[in-house]
Amino acid sequence: MPLRISDYKSFFYIGCTLTYFKSSSGKDSFKFLTKYLATFSGEDSYVIGEAKEEAVRAVIEFVKAPDTFWCDLLDMPAVGQLEKDAKYALVYQLLKIFLTQRLDAYLEFQAANSTLMKSYGLVHEDCITKMRLMSLVDLGSNESGQIPYALIKDALRINDDEVELWIVKAITAKLIDCKMDQMNQVVIVSRCTERIFGQHQWHSLRLKLATWRGNVASLISTIQANKVVEEGSQAMQGMAIR
């Protein structure tokens, strides 16, 4: 007998409840939470409302996680309901900042909501560290593929001598692949992790695939043309020998 949606809900709810009480299993708890929240799709507001507390917990766990820089919580109706909730609207706003904005937006939010941050056990210094890395990722998503050192300094609010340190941190966290051009004071980005994967990211991916396909087609045409020339040259040489 196939499992029903309610069975999946129960399974993932039990999983996130059990892992919640294990301090060393933050990743497991977040994994179960996201799977549980993903089971709420298309239900009425009353049913989705049952997951409100878990949605808040998922947001807070994502913000706290020092090595988690991507999630699809913004796409989930169970999380989306927080946006217009009188009690939890600020939690949703915090999630949007971490997934779509930069350090300056976080600092502005924290200055106005420091009590709220503390009530959820969020450490300001840890949040700054994570937002600096996520801001660097956002800078790296620029279509030009280059980030001036000065822009990194301003966006991350750091000193000149800290720029390369934060670039190395982002590389170590596997957020970006890049080269540092110290002479020209720019970072040349070859790959950058997406914080979210929405319509803009799909469009960018389609463009890259189209470019890649065009390059491959051009390469194949060049190889075939060279092969024809080579075969013709060999045929001419054969005729000359005769």
Side-chain angles (χ1 to χ4, degrees), residues 111-126:
N113 301 283
S114 59
T115 302
L116 175 76
M117 300 282 289
K118 291 178 181 177
S119 70
Y120 284 112
L122 296 170
V123 180
H124 181 47
E125 291 74 16
D126 294 342

Side-chain angles (χ1 to χ4, degrees), residues 139-148 151 187-189:
L139 292 173
S141 63
N142 189 312
E143 293 296 334
S144 71
Q146 295 190 1
I147 321 172
L151 185 57
V187 179
I188 303 171
V189 179

